[in-house]
Amino acid sequence: MIATQEAFVAQAPDPLLARLLDAAIEAIGTNADLLGDLDRAIGDGDHGLNMLRGFAAVAGQRDDLAVLPLAAALDAMGKLLVMNVGGASGPLYGSLLIAMGKAAARDGASVATILEEGVAAVKRRGKSDRGEKTMLDVLVPVQLAWAQSCREGLAPRDALERLRRAAKEGLDSTRPLMATKGRASFLRERSIGHLDPGAFSSFLLVDATCRAFLEVEP
Amino acid sequence: MTERVSIVIVSHSADVARGAAAMVRQMAGKEVKVAHCGGNPEGGLGTNVAAIKKCIEQVYGPRGVAILVDMGGAETNSEMAIEMLPREWKTNVVICRAPVVEGAVMAAAEASGGSSLQKVRATAEEYFR
């Protein structure tokens, strides 16, 4: 392994963290209306407002979070989202980050392991998996794409671009799906033909953080 | 006063939560402690972990707490709130898979007789099977 992983872990506690936070905060801030529209189509319409509230809380702590070690920053951000997002997405995104933080706190934890444990926590919290028209339709392919990049020893830039593609393809894969979890499942076949709002916010966050990495990666 | 199982009602709507709690009080009197929450911080519809955790803490006692939820995020946020409780409380707080209003009234009626948490939960859940 895995030059890819070591490169990122080594960079973790430096200003890169501030860039990642800013990228995530901006991605949610500029797309909150769109998330709301997507959620109004097949859900209760509050995903944009909820995510905005959560990331406003993150923005409020941005300077403190940015100087923490990676594991502590993930844990603190997860707890902020749990306490502020509301809806099911608060516990789901919170569980993702808290589990990633827990994995990152272990000596020698690879990024692949951190992602794997984070996504596993979302599956447990949501009692769900890929194919149910949820954020997992983005997160699972992203995690698998990273694992594959590590196995192939891909250069960081290529691995990051692969993650962005995986996130976009995962998002698009939710359109023809019928929702079987969450509020959208009440619509049954009428949920078909719409992008899932949770998958969309996951895509936004993955894409924004990958782009932030790419800006610092030569 | 003999300790009873307490009831927490979690709805996306503050009005539904308040109304369900009123129905519980009418049925179960003052013996059963009831707390309720609903809505997002802006006063709209939604649920949040902090409010649920506060409700549990308000009514927690040695006989435990039965939580009634309406749907989706209410359940997920309640699960998260339980995980954030002190270790020795966690196994003494359960979510009932039952309709929020009827389940809360059934659970409170059972609790008022001094039943265990398991029995309170079973009564709320089985009545609607």
Side-chain angles (χ1 to χ4, degrees), chain A residues 64-76:
Chain A
D64 295 332
L65 291 169
V67 294
L68 290 174
L70 178 65
L74 287 166
D75 184 72

Side-chain angles (χ1 to χ4, degrees), chain A residues 53 86-87 91 125 127 183, chain B residues 12 42 47 50 71 77 79 83:
Chain A
R53 189 191 308 109
R125 175 72 55 205
K127 303 176 189 82
R183 204 65 80 87
Chain B
H12 281 67
E42 293 84 15
T47 56
M71 55 175 72
N77 275 309
E79 289 169 353
E83 281 181 26

Side-chain angles (χ1 to χ4, degrees), chain A residues 99-118:
Chain A
M100 286 174 70
K102 205 169 178 182
R106 290 201 305 270
D107 283 343
S110 66
V111 174
T113 302
I114 294 170
L115 288 176
E116 190 183 335
E117 294 190 12

Side-chain angles (χ1 to χ4, degrees), chain A residues 47 51 78 81 89-97 135 198 201-202 205:
Chain A
H47 191 53
M51 293 296 280
L81 294 181
S89 38
L92 290 167
Y93 277 113
S95 298
L96 172 72
L97 294 176
M135 58 197 279
S201 58
S202 291
L205 292 167

Side-chain angles (χ1 to χ4, degrees), chain A residues 44 46 49-50 53 82-84 86-88 90-92 94-95 98 125 127 183 186, chain B residues 12 40-42 45-50 71-73 75-77 79-80 83-84 97:
Chain A
D44 49 9
D46 62 3
L49 179 64
N50 284 347
R53 189 191 308 109
V82 165
M83 298 312 280
N84 290 285
L92 290 167
S95 298
I98 290 168
R125 175 72 55 205
K127 303 176 189 82
R183 204 65 80 87
F186 299 168
Chain B
H12 281 67
N40 66 21
E42 293 84 15
L45 301 174
T47 56
N48 78 84
V49 173
M71 55 175 72
E75 183 178 357
T76 316
N77 275 309
E79 289 169 353
M80 196 82 218
E83 281 181 26
M84 295 167 77
R97 268 77 188 176

